């Protein structure tokens, strides 16, 4: 089946449908590859820093360890250490510093934790949109193609199976392509949503341990 016929003989609507599905498919695979690489990098770098951080001899050694590291764990620790110093230096100058130290650190760590996790939600809305709309866009192309195929057949007066099967078969390809675009997007969305939840639990556990450590750390 020659898909180029849709571009050679199709009108603006049918061509727009196929181009939209092509763009959606490219965007879906680019986002999934990008998200997979970013998530794997974040997990591996965070695991390494997590282990090294708790094995550090003292706080100074831990701060040097995370100084130039770009992992999520290192960023969370930097923000927590900065909040601890900020509380000590500005206790009488900041409204937020009037909170107990534990509550202040918990708030700042939670803000950092949320900021980090928000970066790993990027692209999920696109996958969800593609997964929900691609089948309907493909169906639109099919309905539109069948409509024009039947009009063309009626005008030519050819009602044989051979005359009907070809144009309608070409029109049905739009629905098939829509499904081929939507299925990877839905699977990718579910996969990355689950992976993000697992990473969020890991980061939350580390943030809790870090909060406890900083509360018990002597000034």
């Amino acid at each position: 089946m020659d898909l180029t016929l849709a571009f050679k003989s199709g009108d603006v609507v049918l061509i727009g449908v196929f181009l939209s599905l092509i763009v959606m498919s490219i965007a879906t695979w680019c986002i999934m590859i990008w998200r997979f690489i970013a998530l794997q990098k974040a997990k591996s770098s965070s695991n390494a820093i997590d282990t090294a951080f708790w094995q550090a001899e003292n706080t100074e050694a831990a701060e040097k360890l995370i100084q130039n590291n770009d992992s999520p764990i290192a960023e969370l620790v930097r923000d927590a250490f900065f909040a601890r110093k900020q509380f000590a230096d500005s206790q009488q100058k900041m409204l937020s510093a009037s909170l107990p130290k534990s509550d202040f650190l918990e708030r700042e760590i939670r803000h950092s934790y949320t900021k980090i996790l928000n970066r790993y939600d990027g692209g999920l809305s696109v996958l969800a949109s593609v997964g929900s709309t691609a089948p309907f866009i493909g169906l639109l192309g099919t309905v539109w193609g069948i409509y024009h195929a039947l009009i063309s057949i009626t005008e030519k007066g050819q009602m044989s199976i051979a005359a009907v099967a070809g144009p309608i078969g070409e029109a049905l390809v739009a629905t098939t392509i829509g499904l081929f675009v939507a299925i990877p997007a839905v699977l990718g969305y579910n996969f990355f949503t689950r992976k993000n939840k697992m990473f969020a639990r890991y980061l939350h556990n580390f943030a809790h341990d870090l909060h406890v450590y900083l509360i018990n750390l002597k000034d």
Side-chain angles (χ1 to χ4, degrees), residues 28-29 31-32 35-36 123-124 126-132 179-195:
T28 295
W29 286 103
I31 290 172
M32 289 195 296
R35 286 263 50 95
F36 181 79
L124 292 183
V126 176
L127 294 181
S129 299
V130 171
S132 60
L179 293 175
F180 273 112
V181 173
I183 291 172
V186 172
L187 294 177
Y189 175 82
N190 292 335
F191 174 81
F192 288 110
T193 298
R194 180 174 177 274
K195 289 295 183 182

Side-chain angles (χ1 to χ4, degrees), residues 7 15-31 126-127 130 134 137 177 181:
F7 294 94
I15 293 175
V17 166
F18 277 96
L19 288 178
S20 298
L21 292 175
I22 291 172
V23 171
M24 285 182 174
S25 180
I26 294 173
T28 295
W29 286 103
C30 288
I31 290 172
V126 176
L127 294 181
V130 171
I137 294 176
I177 295 177
V181 173

Side-chain angles (χ1 to χ4, degrees), residues 79 81-101 103-105 107-108 111:
D79 291 343
F81 278 12
F82 177 77
R84 176 175 174 270
K85 294 178 180 178
Q86 190 179 36
F87 181 85
D89 296 341
S90 307
Q91 192 169 3
Q92 304 301 325
K93 301 177 182 178
M94 296 172 56
L95 180 63
S96 59
S98 62
L99 295 170
K101 182 178 180 180
D103 294 341
F104 178 82
L105 291 178
R107 191 195 71 163
E108 295 301 313
H111 288 174

Side-chain angles (χ1 to χ4, degrees), residues 187-219:
L187 294 177
Y189 175 82
N190 292 335
F191 174 81
F192 288 110
T193 298
R194 180 174 177 274
K195 289 295 183 182
N196 283 354
K197 288 181 179 179
M198 293 174 62
F199 185 65
R201 286 196 294 267
Y202 164 73
L203 203 61
H204 179 269
N205 291 336
F206 180 87
H208 176 268
D209 294 342
L210 179 63
H211 176 251
V212 172
Y213 168 74
L214 293 178
I215 290 301
N216 292 281
L217 187 64
K218 295 181 180 181
D219 295 325

Side-chain angles (χ1 to χ4, degrees), residues 48-193:
I49 288 295
D50 186 357
T51 302
F53 175 79
W54 295 116
Q55 292 179 351
E57 296 180 356
N58 49 49
T59 305
E60 290 73 18
E63 286 186 296
K64 290 181 180 179
L65 179 69
I66 63 170
Q67 188 172 7
N68 297 316
N69 192 281
D70 60 351
S71 70
I73 289 293
E75 182 179 351
L76 182 63
V77 174
R78 281 196 298 269
D79 291 343
F81 278 12
F82 177 77
R84 176 175 174 270
K85 294 178 180 178
Q86 190 179 36
F87 181 85
D89 296 341
S90 307
Q91 192 169 3
Q92 304 301 325
K93 301 177 182 178
M94 296 172 56
L95 180 63
S96 59
S98 62
L99 295 170
K101 182 178 180 180
S102 176
D103 294 341
F104 178 82
L105 291 178
E106 181 182 1
R107 191 195 71 163
E108 295 301 313
I109 291 175
R110 184 174 64 250
H111 288 174
S112 177
Y113 164 83
T114 303
K115 176 187 67 177
I116 293 170
L117 288 181
N118 285 340
R119 292 202 298 264
Y120 296 94
D121 286 335
L124 292 183
S125 59
V126 176
L127 294 181
S129 299
V130 171
S132 60
T133 59
F136 296 104
I137 294 176
L139 183 60
L140 171 63
T142 293
V143 173
W144 191 264
I146 290 176
Y147 170 71
H148 282 276
L150 293 176
I151 290 179
S152 177
I153 291 169
T154 302
E155 291 176 350
K156 293 179 181 179
Q158 298 175 349
M159 298 302 295
S160 64
I161 296 296
V164 174
I168 292 181
E170 295 290 346
L172 289 173
V173 173
T175 298
T176 305
I177 295 177
L179 293 175
F180 273 112
V181 173
I183 291 172
V186 172
L187 294 177
Y189 175 82
N190 292 335
F191 174 81
F192 288 110
T193 298

